[in-house]
Amino acid sequence: MNWEPSQPKEPCPDDSVDVVVVPRSSDLGDGFIVQRALPSAKRRMIGPFVFFDQMGPAVMTSGKGLDVRPHPHIGLATVTYMFTGEILHRDSLGSVQPIQPGAVNWMTAGSGIVHSERTPPQLRAVDAPLFGIQSWVALPKSQEETAPSFVHHAETGLPVLEAEGKHVRVIAGSLYGVEAPVKTFSDMFYADVTLEANTSLNVPAEHEERAAYIVEGSMQVGRDVFEAGQLVVFKPNTPVTLKAQTRTRLMLLGGEPMDGPRFIWWNFVSSSRERIEQAKADWRAQRFDAVPGETEFIALPPEKNPPPVKYP
């Protein structure tokens, strides 16, 4: 493991930080709030990441739960990663998987998949905490119509690096010389990082697009300090050193730029506006495969919604 790439220890912030994104809040219903960092007006994509939501922290009170009814995706992979709590994933392939802290759950939508996300029945009888990140990874043009799939890797199956107050779990892609087991479709990295107070961590410059999302605590880059709930995007090919002000948890993410812009509308991502229109028509006509055992579904949003947005 190489914690110390050959780069300055204290880069000037003007030489390393590109933009800082403060997520906007969105209510998914029943008072469950998410903080959406991507896409934003300041930054639409980071490597293949086109969507990044912080879920919670929240407590689902006894008798209630999270109920994201069956809905479709195309052209992307979803990555659900929990810090606390549990979500039950079901999809149109027949997958049924509890999503628990520290595990990676990678669902490739490709040509089309439908899934639901709910609080498991056994947790609805108690107050259940829920805290995690859901992100979408755009697929390269050559893989946008790949067959859908779902893979789960338990916490114990992911590579972990530990040294001198640093704890790094690599969720997807490669970082610091290790590679996560999940199959990805482009050059990328995604990691869960915990730093003890006053600990520094160098972010390798091998990937062109890089960012850190602060989950808890605060970190310093150069002379600037960034707080929890901020997405700090770094400039390409520049030295970056993060220093934890307190015990800090953050997500490192990024990769190579995508092979062209993407259109995003509702749950659909594609390099083609026409493909999104086809997906809308297919969902409206219920031509997607159903989730076994589920009869509910989320209806297509009204057509008065804006047309697909093209993100460079």
Side-chain angles (χ1 to χ4, degrees):
M1 90 182 57
N2 184 6
W3 296 105
E4 302 294 338
S6 56
Q7 56 185 44
K9 295 287 187 178
E10 294 291 341
C12 171
D14 293 339
D15 291 337
S16 56
V17 175
D18 186 6
V19 297
V20 179
V21 176
V22 177
R24 66 188 189 278
S25 297
S26 180
D27 192 336
L28 297 186
D30 295 326
F32 185 71
I33 305 297
V34 299
Q35 304 294 327
R36 183 153 301 161
L38 293 176
S40 78
K42 287 187 174 181
R43 191 62 180 249
R44 304 299 188 180
M45 302 170 65
I46 298 172
F49 290 85
V50 294
F51 179 95
F52 193 95
D53 264 8
Q54 176 181 310
M55 307 178 291
V59 175
M60 312 306 291
T61 57
S62 175
K64 296 183 178 181
L66 179 70
D67 282 298
V68 181
R69 294 167 292 154
H71 57 281
H73 291 285
I74 65 164
L76 57 86
T78 66
V79 190
T80 304
Y81 188 80
M82 304 301 298
F83 303 124
T84 57
E86 182 176 319
I87 293 175
L88 183 62
H89 165 95
R90 290 192 177 96
D91 63 42
S92 51
L93 301 174
S95 311
V96 179
Q97 177 63 55
I99 298 177
Q100 298 169 330
V104 63
N105 302 273
W106 179 288
M107 185 184 75
T108 301
S111 59
I113 199 168
V114 179
H115 75 136
S116 67
E117 298 163 298
R118 302 181 185 269
T119 299
Q122 70 274 14
L123 294 182
R124 292 176 183 263
V126 297
D127 290 348
L130 188 65
F131 189 20
I133 301 287
Q134 177 147 109
S135 54
W136 296 354
V137 175
L139 300 179
K141 292 178 182 178
S142 62
Q143 299 294 330
E144 284 184 308
E145 297 299 321
T146 195
S149 63
F150 176 81
V151 294
H152 167 82
H153 293 279
E155 179 182 13
T156 54
L158 301 180
V160 172
L161 303 173
E162 290 186 288
E164 302 168 348
K166 311 175 184 72
H167 181 281
V168 178
R169 175 177 290 112
V170 182
I171 301 168
S174 60
L175 190 65
Y176 299 116
V178 300
E179 187 170 358
V182 67
K183 176 186 175 183
T184 61
F185 294 87
S186 60
D187 185 8
M188 61 169 289
F189 68 97
Y190 193 28
D192 175 11
V193 178
T194 300
L195 302 176
E196 298 301 329
N198 300 314
T199 298
S200 295
L201 177 70
N202 288 304
V203 181
E206 62 200 61
H207 299 280
E208 184 171 344
E209 298 188 355
R210 302 162 295 161
Y213 181 79
I214 307 169
V215 177
E216 298 171 319
S218 62
M219 71 179 190
Q220 182 177 353
V221 182
R223 293 182 297 274
D224 291 352
V225 175
F226 304 96
E227 305 295 337
Q230 292 183 312
L231 177 69
V232 183
V233 184
F234 307 115
K235 293 180 180 178
N237 307 313
T238 57
V240 176
T241 299
L242 313 178
K243 184 176 182 180
Q245 300 298 288
T246 62
R247 191 173 193 272
T248 299
R249 190 169 196 174
L250 54 91
M251 308 297 285
L252 287 179
L253 63 145
E256 296 309 301
M258 288 303 297
D259 53 356
R262 291 298 186 269
F263 293 95
I264 301 179
W265 190 87
W266 194 39
N267 300 311
F268 304 138
V269 173
S270 179
S271 59
S272 163
R273 185 192 297 268
E274 292 73 24
R275 180 65 181 92
I276 288 183
E277 293 301 319
Q278 181 62 55
K280 290 162 64 175
D282 289 343
W283 184 245
R284 189 182 295 112
Q286 291 296 286
R287 288 191 286 263
F288 279 81
D289 291 338
V291 177
E294 299 224 23
T295 57
E296 295 182 303
F297 64 92
I298 299 177
L300 195 76
E303 285 300 315
K304 67 179 181 180
N305 278 21
V309 178
K310 186 178 183 180
Y311 289 149

